[in-house]
Amino acid sequence: MDVKVRSGDSLWYYSTLFNVPLDLIIDSNPQAEPSSLQIGQTIRIPGYETSQYRIQSGDTFWKIASERRISLDAIALLNPSVNPRMLQIGQFLSLPVQVSYRVVDGNRPYDFNVLTTDLSELYELYPFVRRQTIGNSVMGKDLVELQIGRGPKVVHWNGSFHANEWITTAVIMQFLNDYLLALTNKETIRGLEINPFYNEVTLSIVPMVDPDGVDLVLNGPPEGDFGELALRINDGNTDFSGWKANIRGVDLNNQYPAKWEVDAARKPTSPAPRDFPGYQPLTEPETVAMAELAGARNFEKMLAFHTQGEVIYWGYEGLEPPRSMTIVNEFERVSGYKPIRYVDSFSGYKDWFIQDFRQPGFTVELGSGVNPLPLEQFDEIYQETMGIFLASLYM
Ligand SMILES: [Zn+2]
């Protein structure tokens, strides 16, 4: 919601008028100089939208405000040309409405298009979310990173490294919406105060690492060369439900230089629906973008969400720091998922992250069954994952 600055207004005043944390208003208006607002300048109020109300006989500002538990001055601010003493029946007023519901519904086939639409709605409602494009997929789709908060502790989550594990994107996005709701409405999640995290943590999220692959699994092969290539790699089969790779048949989670050669020696040697690690490490734009991001951000911890198995991989060659064990034990406590330290598998993002940065890195395998997991599991997975999301912030 946008308001226009009047003489005497301040961001602090808007914070009290709308009961929204001041930090969130400041960060929603990076172009505004908080100590010298200009009269007539537009200021964005996060977590609010406006509704149009048609004035009826007997209405007064006071009656309209008290019925909705909003302040008189909030109505005046949004309707600068309306004289409160001369309301006309049939005239329209803009009224502020604090958003208390999700705009993201993760419980649906969550392709790149749904992601893009949901991101636009979140940016509009929560302008303090910072976004940037960290690269492009093979087919040119934007690889988006979101950042929320101003804390020195940078916690990273990513989803859909594997195409047919797209439900991980849906889970992340729905939780992101709940997190933003809790921040703007000063609410708790599972009894935990959320607002303090805004200044303690910078949350970095790449919700969909493999958008071309996700769209292939959900929508079938695209028109043109990439679709034809994917069909060839899939032996002409139009069922792509077993497809984990990117659009040209490289498994993005087998692309990292962490004993890559060991894995490559026992994996497919040409493009395949899954497990082909590429002809060399880091040949794909998606894996390069994620490697550069880790290099740029100094993640305090990294969680890569996959399906399935209800387990959490947390070690790599003894290079993980001691606190990885403390953290994974808390993840187990809040989700019931079982920690697994070492596994005979290399060249994943988590492996490389631990090896190169010596910080806690986790591969979290959500849900159980056969990929792609059916949406009937969404609500249960969401509940299990919520505890892990929160623990990654406070641990
Ligand atoms: Zn996976």
Side-chain angles (χ1 to χ4, degrees):
M1 180 179 82
D2 291 350
V3 300
K4 290 249 190 283
V5 173
R6 306 166 303 182
S7 174
D9 283 355
S10 65
L11 298 186
W12 178 83
Y13 177 65
Y14 295 150
S15 164
T16 59
L17 188 63
F18 295 110
N19 195 25
V20 171
L22 178 59
D23 292 343
L24 301 183
I25 297 182
I26 291 173
D27 289 353
S28 295
N29 296 279
Q31 80 299 341
E33 179 53 55
S35 59
S36 61
L37 297 184
Q38 309 291 311
I39 291 171
Q41 182 178 8
T42 299
I43 294 296
R44 315 200 65 185
I45 308 296
Y48 269 84
E49 57 186 5
T50 56
S51 71
Q52 296 299 305
Y53 174 73
R54 193 165 184 269
I55 291 171
Q56 310 188 0
S57 172
D59 275 345
T60 63
F61 259 33
W62 184 84
K63 178 166 176 279
I64 294 165
S66 66
E67 280 172 2
R68 288 166 184 74
R69 296 169 187 273
I70 53 184
S71 85
L72 282 172
D73 198 41
I75 302 180
L77 175 62
L78 285 173
N79 299 276
S81 59
V82 175
N83 183 339
R85 280 176 288 281
M86 297 184 64
L87 294 184
Q88 311 281 326
I89 292 169
Q91 188 178 20
F92 281 92
L93 287 181
S94 289
L95 298 179
V97 179
Q98 188 157 26
V99 175
S100 59
Y101 54 86
R102 288 182 190 137
V103 294
V104 173
D105 171 16
N107 194 348
R108 56 199 289 208
Y110 210 91
D111 65 10
F112 181 71
N113 207 28
V114 173
L115 172 68
T116 304
T117 305
D118 281 352
L119 286 175
S120 307
E121 291 209 42
L122 292 178
Y123 299 146
E124 179 65 27
L125 279 173
Y126 307 102
F128 56 88
V129 176
R130 303 186 295 284
R131 53 180 145 161
Q132 62 168 335
T133 301
I134 59 166
N136 292 95
S137 69
V138 168
M139 293 181 68
K141 297 187 183 88
D142 281 353
L143 304 177
V144 176
E145 184 212 15
L146 313 170
Q147 286 186 57
I148 301 98
R150 331 165 141 178
K153 174 170 145 182
V154 184
V155 175
H156 174 78
W157 306 337
N158 63 64
S160 294
F161 242 102
H162 283 141
N164 65 357
E165 302 173 8
W166 53 262
I167 201 168
T168 56
T169 299
V171 170
I172 289 172
M173 288 298 295
Q174 185 166 305
F175 184 79
L176 169 63
N177 198 160
D178 283 356
Y179 188 69
L180 297 170
L181 280 167
L183 285 173
T184 49
N185 295 332
K186 303 181 186 177
E187 285 168 348
T188 60
I189 300 179
R190 290 201 174 159
L192 196 65
E193 296 278 351
I194 297 302
N195 290 102
F197 292 130
Y198 194 76
N199 284 301
E200 292 165 8
V201 173
T202 295
L203 184 55
S204 156
I205 305 176
V206 177
M208 192 179 281
V209 176
D210 182 13
D212 300 339
V214 168
D215 283 359
L216 178 66
V217 169
L218 284 171
N219 306 327
E223 296 282 316
D225 292 349
F226 287 116
E228 286 169 24
L229 174 64
L231 265 171
R232 270 204 307 282
I233 294 170
N234 209 35
D235 290 332
N237 191 343
T238 53
D239 176 4
F240 286 88
S241 59
W243 190 281
K244 292 172 75 176
N246 73 352
I247 192 74
R248 58 188 182 200
V250 179
D251 191 316
L252 300 179
N253 207 37
N254 280 305
Q255 263 267 291
Y256 288 89
K259 289 189 142 185
W260 179 88
E261 298 78 3
V262 175
D263 248 12
R266 58 191 181 184
K267 297 261 166 142
T269 54
S270 60
R274 54 179 293 171
D275 300 332
F276 173 56
Y279 297 108
Q280 296 175 64
L282 296 174
T283 54
E284 302 308 293
E286 297 90 351
T287 50
V288 170
M290 292 301 291
E292 287 176 349
L293 183 71
R297 284 278 179 278
N298 197 18
F299 298 148
E300 184 265 351
K301 66 173 80 69
M302 187 289 291
L303 286 79
F305 290 93
H306 289 248
T307 60
Q308 50 80 41
E310 303 189 345
V311 294
I312 304 168
Y313 299 103
W314 62 280
Y316 180 72
E317 302 277 298
L319 300 175
E320 64 284 1
R323 65 195 185 92
S324 292
M325 184 185 284
T326 316
I327 296 167
V328 83
N329 286 341
E330 179 67 4
F331 290 166
E332 179 184 24
R333 189 184 72 82
V334 295
S335 67
Y337 287 14
K338 292 291 166 213
I340 297 177
R341 188 165 197 169
Y342 301 125
V343 64
D344 183 24
S345 164
F346 310 105
S347 66
Y349 189 63
K350 177 266 294 172
D351 306 323
W352 169 81
F353 174 77
I354 293 172
Q355 168 194 278
D356 272 31
F357 299 97
R358 308 292 166 103
Q359 297 281 21
F362 305 91
T363 296
V364 185
E365 300 279 3
L366 305 181
S368 67
V370 177
N371 291 331
L373 294 181
L375 277 170
E376 290 75 66
Q377 285 197 30
F378 181 84
D379 290 330
E380 184 189 336
I381 291 175
Y382 188 70
Q383 292 303 322
E384 292 162 354
T385 315
M386 187 182 281
I388 298 174
F389 287 137
L390 292 171
S392 76
L393 302 173
Y394 64 72
M395 287 300 287

